[in-house]
Amino acid sequence: MINIVSIDKKRYTSMAILPILKFPDPRLHTIAQPVTQFDEHLQRIVADMFETMYAARGVGLAATQVDIHQRIVVIDTSEERNAPTVLINPEIIAQSAEKKDWEEGCLSVPEVYEVVARPERVRVRAQDTSGTFFEMDCDELLAVCVQHEIDHLNGKVFVQYLSNLKLNRLKNKIKKQQRESVSS
Ligand code: GNR
Ligand code: NI
C-alpha cells in the first residue's frame, strides 16, 4: 500500500536550519525582491527562517541573511519566545521624529555590539503569508528590530551606520580572526 500521509509529511512538514551569511559577505548587500506568490513555497521559507532564528537565539531574521533575496522577515521579540511575527514586503509608513540609541547585535556579525540611533517608534505596513495587508505600531526593541530587518532587505548591515574609522577597525578585526582560524 502506498503511504500518502508519510509522503505529505516529508514534503510539507520537515523544517531546516539554514546557514547564516556572515559580514563582509557581499551577498548581504543584495536588494531583496518583493514577494508576489503567497504559496506553499513561501510558507516553507518562513518555517525554515523561524527554525533558524530560534536555533540561533535571534529576535529577528531577514531572508537576505539566509541567502534568499525576497522581502521576508521573521521576528519574535517576546521574552517567552512564543510570539512569532511574519512580515512580507514590510514598509515603514510613519516614524517618530525622536530618535533613540540602542545597542544592536546581528546574527550576521557575531560578537559585535554597537549603538545605533534610529527613530524611536515606527508604523509598519506588511503582508502575512496569505497576502493580507496589516499594520503594526512598534516601539522599544520591536521598533529597532523592524528597522534593522528592513535594512537587511535593502542590503544594509547595522555596522554600516558606524564611523568609517570604527567600520575599518571592525573589518580588520574580522580579517585577522579569519586568518587565525585558517592557520590554526
Ligand atoms: O538577535 C538580534 N538581536 C538584536 C538586538 C538589537 C538590535 C537588533 C537585533 S536583530 C538580531 C538578529 C538579526 O541579526 N536580525 O537581522
Ligand atoms: Ni541582523
Side-chain angles (χ1 to χ4, degrees), residues 104-114 158 170 173 177:
E104 298 193 19
C106 181
L107 296 172
S108 296
V109 198
E111 289 163 47
V112 172
Y113 302 90
E114 296 282 354
F158 86 106
L170 175 64
K173 196 175 106 181
Q177 282 168 349

Side-chain angles (χ1 to χ4, degrees), residues 31-87:
I31 296 175
Q33 295 299 310
V35 171
T36 55
Q37 308 241 78
F38 295 84
D39 55 9
E40 263 159 15
H41 179 62
L42 174 65
Q43 285 173 16
R44 162 61 66 98
I45 294 171
V46 167
D48 289 348
M49 285 177 63
F50 273 119
E51 198 182 22
T52 304
M53 179 190 77
Y54 285 123
R57 301 179 182 283
V59 298
L61 186 74
T64 308
Q65 293 177 276
V66 290
D67 206 19
I68 296 172
H69 302 288
Q70 297 185 50
R71 305 192 78 83
I72 307 168
V73 163
V74 298
I75 291 180
D76 189 342
T77 56
S78 72
E79 200 75 20
E80 305 78 19
R81 319 288 290 142
N82 62 358
T85 304
V86 186
L87 305 176

Side-chain angles (χ1 to χ4, degrees), residues 89-103:
N89 301 326
E91 280 185 49
I92 290 170
I93 55 170
Q95 61 185 49
S96 64
E98 303 95 331
K99 294 201 172 183
K100 187 169 179 166
D101 284 346
W102 201 288
E103 187 172 85

Side-chain angles (χ1 to χ4, degrees), residues 88-178:
I88 309 292
N89 301 326
E91 280 185 49
I92 290 170
I93 55 170
Q95 61 185 49
S96 64
E98 303 95 331
K99 294 201 172 183
K100 187 169 179 166
D101 284 346
W102 201 288
E103 187 172 85
E104 298 193 19
C106 181
L107 296 172
S108 296
V109 198
E111 289 163 47
V112 172
Y113 302 90
E114 296 282 354
V115 172
V116 178
R118 299 185 188 268
E120 188 171 8
R121 293 176 306 281
V122 296
R123 185 166 181 84
V124 61
R125 183 170 190 261
Q127 284 162 282
D128 66 17
T129 51
S130 56
T132 305
F133 282 93
F134 65 95
E135 292 183 10
M136 201 169 71
D137 282 310
C138 309
D139 65 3
E140 298 293 326
L141 176 59
L142 182 58
V144 177
C145 190
V146 161
Q147 294 176 80
H148 175 118
E149 303 312 339
I150 293 174
D151 273 353
H152 275 305
L153 299 181
N154 292 329
K156 186 157 187 175
V157 180
F158 86 106
V159 292
Q160 293 176 264
Y161 287 103
L162 302 180
S163 66
N164 278 333
L165 180 68
K166 274 196 165 184
L167 185 56
N168 284 330
R169 278 183 187 155
L170 175 64
K171 284 181 181 167
N172 286 330
K173 196 175 106 181
I174 293 169
K175 273 187 211 148
K176 188 161 172 264
Q177 282 168 349
Q178 285 170 345

